[in-house]
Amino acid sequence: PRGAKSWGRSLPSISAKNNFADSNPEVDPAHFQPLGSWSSDKLNASRKEHPFMMTWVPGAARHVVPNMTHGEGVYLYDDQGKQYLDWTSQAVCANLGHDVPKGVVDAAAQQMATLPFVYGGIGITEVRTRLNQLMSEILPGDLRAAVYPSSGAEANEAGIMMARRFTGRQKIISWYRSYHGATANAGAATGDFRRWYGSDEVPGFVKAFNPFPLFFNHGGPNATEEESVQAALNMLEEQILNEGPDNIASIMMESVVGAGGCLVMPPGYMQGIRALCDKYGILMHVDEVMVGFGRTGKLFGFQNYEGVMPDIVSSAKGISSAAIPMSMTACSEEIMDFFEDKPLGWGSTYQAHPVAMAVAYENIKYLIEKNIVGRSANMAPLFEACMQKLANDHPCIKQYRAIGMFGCFDVHDMNGANPKLQHEAAHAAFHKYKDAYLENGLVGLHRYPHIHCAPPLSISEEELIDGFQRLDRALDVLDDALGYEKEVQLETAI
C-alpha cells in the first residue's frame, strides 16, 4: 500500500486586534472649519500628534519646515508673516509662480463641475482631444503626444515601456549623474543617490558616464572640449558593444541634467548620441521633466542642440506649472503607429485625468499667449550676468553653469575639493548657509555641493536682482563657514 495522506498542521493563532469595523470614527470638529483657520499652534500640535513621512529627508524634518499660508507672484508667506522668494520654483516646477492664471482656475472648476473624472479607456473627454491636438501642434518634428500620466516618474515609466515594446529589447542605458523618478523603473534609470534606496535590484538598467564625471576628464586632463566629447562618445560606444547593441532598447537622458547640477551637454555630444542610436537601432529617450516648457529659453531642452530629434520625450512639472499633478510622454509617429494594433502595456487609473488635462491645456495656452518661453530667453543674459558676478565675488564658488532661467553654482572647499559627496551628510557649513538662505528670505531645494537657481519664469528683472542679492548675503555665510577670507568687498547692489 502507498500512503499519500497530508500531514496535520496547526496554524498560529492570530494576535487579534480591534479593527473598529462597527464603530463610527470620531474626528476633530476643527476639520469642519474653513481652510486657513487653524492657528500655528494647532498645526504644529497636529503634526506632532499625527506625524507623516517626508521623502528625501528624515521624517523629523517636518518640524523645521515652515508652515506656508499663501503665495503672491514669486513669493511665499509663512504663518509668521515672513516673505520668501521662491528661488527654485519649488522643485523647478512652479514656473508661473504662485498666482495661478484665472483661466486655469476657471477651466479646472468648469471641468470639475461638468465631468470630474472618466477613466481613459471608458470615455474620452473634449479636453483630452483638445490638449492632444495642441501638444501635437507645439511638439517639434513628428513627435506626437501619446499618454498623459500624473508625474514625471510615470511619464518615464511609460517611455521605458514604449522603448522595450517597440524594440523588443530590454536594456536601458542612462547616466550616473541623473534623476528620473522614484518608481521602480524610473528609480533604476536614476543615477544619483536616490537609486540606492531600493532601485538597484531592478534588472535591465546600465549606467554610463556622461561628459561630466567628477574626478576625471574624458580624453585626459589636457584634452580640448572636442577631444573630450569624442572620447566620451567612444567610451559610450564601447559600452554599447559590450552590452550587446541588439539588447539595448534606449539611451535615456535629461536634455539638461537638473538635480545633478544644470549640466548642459557640450557641442557635438547630443548629436553623437543621436548618431549612435541611429547606427545601432537604439531609441533616444529625452527626459524633459524639469526643463520642458520654457525653463531653458526653448520650449524643450533638446531644442538647444542643433539637429537633435529624440524618439521619446517625457515631460511634467512645467506642463501645468505645478498647479496640478500632470505629465506627458510623446513619441515619434513610427512608434505611435506601432501601437495602433497592440497595447502599450502601461497605464494608470488617473492617466488622462480630465481636471488635470484642463489645467494643463489652459496653462500651455497661457505660455503661448504671454510668450513665456521668449521671456525666459530674453531674461537669460541678466540671469547669467548675476550668476557670473556671484561666482567671481565668492571664493567658495568653483564654477557656474546657466541656460535660460536655470543655473547652478558648484561649491568647493579651501583645498579645491568637493565638500559634499553623495554618500556623505552635509556638514556644518552647509547648515549655516541654509539658515542664512532662509533668514534672507529665500526658499528652495538644496542639493549640495550644487546651489541651484531656478526662479519662476514670471519673475521681473527687479525681483531677479533682489533674489541674487539675497543669495549673495547667504553665500557670505558659506564663505566664512568654509574658512575663506573675503578677498573682495561685495557691493550692496548687483
Side-chain angles (χ1 to χ4, degrees):
R2 298 178 179 177
K5 294 182 178 180
S6 60
W7 295 91
R9 180 71 173 174
S10 59
L11 296 174
S13 59
I14 185 173
S15 177
K17 295 181 180 178
N18 184 359
N19 63 12
F20 303 96
D22 298 320
S23 63
N24 290 321
E26 293 184 8
V27 301
D28 186 343
H31 287 300
F32 300 96
Q33 298 171 359
L35 285 173
S37 63
W38 282 19
S39 67
S40 300
D41 289 342
K42 171 70 173 173
L43 292 169
N44 295 335
S46 176
R47 274 205 305 276
K48 185 174 181 180
E49 186 176 354
H50 309 285
F52 47 79
M53 290 185 185
M54 303 295 275
T55 53
W56 302 119
V57 294
R62 64 183 169 272
H63 299 302
V64 295
V65 175
N67 292 318
M68 296 299 184
T69 59
H70 64 288
E72 295 177 2
V74 298
Y75 300 105
L76 289 168
Y77 297 84
D78 69 16
D79 56 354
Q80 304 304 309
K82 184 174 177 61
Q83 180 201 74
Y84 302 87
L85 199 163
D86 189 350
W87 197 237
T88 62
S89 303
Q90 297 303 285
V92 195
C93 56
N95 287 356
L96 296 180
H98 302 285
D99 288 328
V100 177
K102 185 176 185 300
V104 174
V105 177
D106 291 346
Q110 180 182 11
Q111 190 63 52
M112 291 187 76
T114 304
L115 183 60
F117 180 71
V118 62
Y119 181 66
I122 293 177
I124 296 176
T125 56
E126 178 183 352
V127 72
R128 182 175 180 182
T129 300
R130 280 189 175 221
L131 176 60
N132 196 68
Q133 177 181 328
L134 179 61
M135 288 307 309
S136 293
E137 289 167 349
I138 67 174
L139 282 162
D142 73 341
L143 288 170
R144 297 291 179 264
V147 292
Y148 298 89
S150 301
S151 68
E154 287 178 291
N156 283 324
E157 292 279 347
I160 290 167
M161 183 60 78
M162 279 182 197
R164 286 174 166 170
R165 295 265 290 142
F166 179 80
T167 63
R169 306 169 181 180
Q170 290 298 307
K171 290 185 180 180
I172 309 294
I173 293 180
S174 59
W175 309 149
Y176 280 110
R177 293 187 75 173
S178 69
Y179 179 69
H180 297 291
T183 53
N185 287 318
T190 290
D192 74 17
F193 70 96
R194 287 167 284 193
R195 185 184 80 254
W196 306 342
Y197 289 114
S199 296
D200 258 337
E201 304 307 315
V202 179
F205 290 87
V206 178
K207 292 293 172 292
F209 286 101
N210 67 20
F212 302 101
L214 292 180
F215 302 124
F216 69 91
N217 294 322
H218 292 286
N222 299 317
T224 65
E225 184 175 66
E226 184 178 358
E227 291 169 340
S228 181
V229 166
Q230 188 59 54
L233 291 169
N234 289 345
M235 182 177 179
L236 178 61
E237 183 170 23
E238 185 161 339
Q239 194 162 7
I240 289 170
L241 294 173
N242 283 315
E243 293 294 337
D246 292 341
N247 298 324
I248 300 168
S250 70
I251 299 177
M252 182 178 180
M253 72 217 77
E254 297 163 272
S255 59
V256 175
V257 175
C262 186
L263 303 177
V264 183
M265 297 300 117
Y269 186 75
M270 292 291 273
Q271 292 84 351
I273 297 291
R274 179 69 269 179
L276 287 172
C277 286
D278 291 341
K279 181 177 181 178
Y280 294 110
I282 298 168
L283 298 181
M284 185 179 189
H285 177 176
V286 173
D287 179 339
E288 292 278 346
V289 169
M290 187 171 283
V291 300
F293 297 96
R295 175 58 59 182
T296 68
K298 303 287 187 183
L299 187 60
F300 295 100
F302 69 81
Q303 292 174 307
N304 290 283
Y305 308 107
E306 185 177 357
V308 174
M309 277 294 296
D311 301 297
I312 297 171
V313 174
S314 45
S315 64
K317 297 185 185 271
I319 196 171
S320 68
S321 295
I324 203 166
M326 179 66 178
S327 62
M328 177 205 68
T329 309
C331 63
S332 67
E333 285 186 354
E334 183 182 8
I335 297 174
M336 184 77 76
D337 291 344
F338 175 82
F339 288 103
E340 277 295 288
D341 61 356
K342 56 185 72 67
L344 171 58
W346 178 90
S348 73
T349 300
Y350 298 129
Q351 193 276 139
H353 193 289
V355 178
M357 299 191 87
V359 168
Y361 185 54
E362 292 300 322
N363 177 72
I364 294 168
K365 289 193 295 180
Y366 184 90
L367 298 181
I368 295 169
E369 290 172 343
K370 302 298 183 181
N371 192 24
I372 298 298
V373 178
R375 191 175 186 281
S376 177
N378 292 336
M379 290 279 281
L382 174 62
F383 182 88
E384 180 160 2
C386 292
M387 293 283 297
Q388 185 174 30
K389 185 176 192 307
L390 264 63
N392 292 341
D393 287 350
H394 291 278
C396 72
I397 301 301
K398 172 182 173 64
Q399 58 199 1
Y400 79 93
R401 293 166 297 280
I403 183 170
M405 291 286 286
F406 192 28
C408 184
F409 296 106
D410 293 338
V411 177
H412 61 171
D413 65 20
M414 292 186 66
N415 297 316
N418 185 326
K420 168 63 176 70
L421 297 174
Q422 291 189 75
H423 67 285
E424 298 173 336
H427 56 62
F430 288 115
H431 295 311
K432 291 178 180 179
Y433 161 76
K434 186 177 180 181
D435 289 343
Y437 189 90
L438 289 169
E439 288 167 5
N440 280 282
L442 292 176
V443 67
L445 285 180
H446 297 279
R447 292 285 182 267
Y448 310 125
H450 309 303
I451 294 176
H452 288 80
C453 302
L457 304 184
S458 55
I459 196 169
S460 70
E461 290 187 359
E462 293 76 14
E463 290 166 340
L464 183 66
I465 292 171
D466 175 48
F468 275 107
Q469 290 173 338
R470 297 181 190 210
L471 182 61
D472 187 9
R473 295 190 290 271
L475 288 173
D476 284 341
V477 173
L478 184 57
D479 285 336
D480 293 340
L482 287 171
Y484 289 99
E485 293 182 3
K486 291 302 294 290
E487 299 175 359
V488 178
Q489 183 67 38
L490 294 178
E491 301 174 2
T492 58
I494 292 176

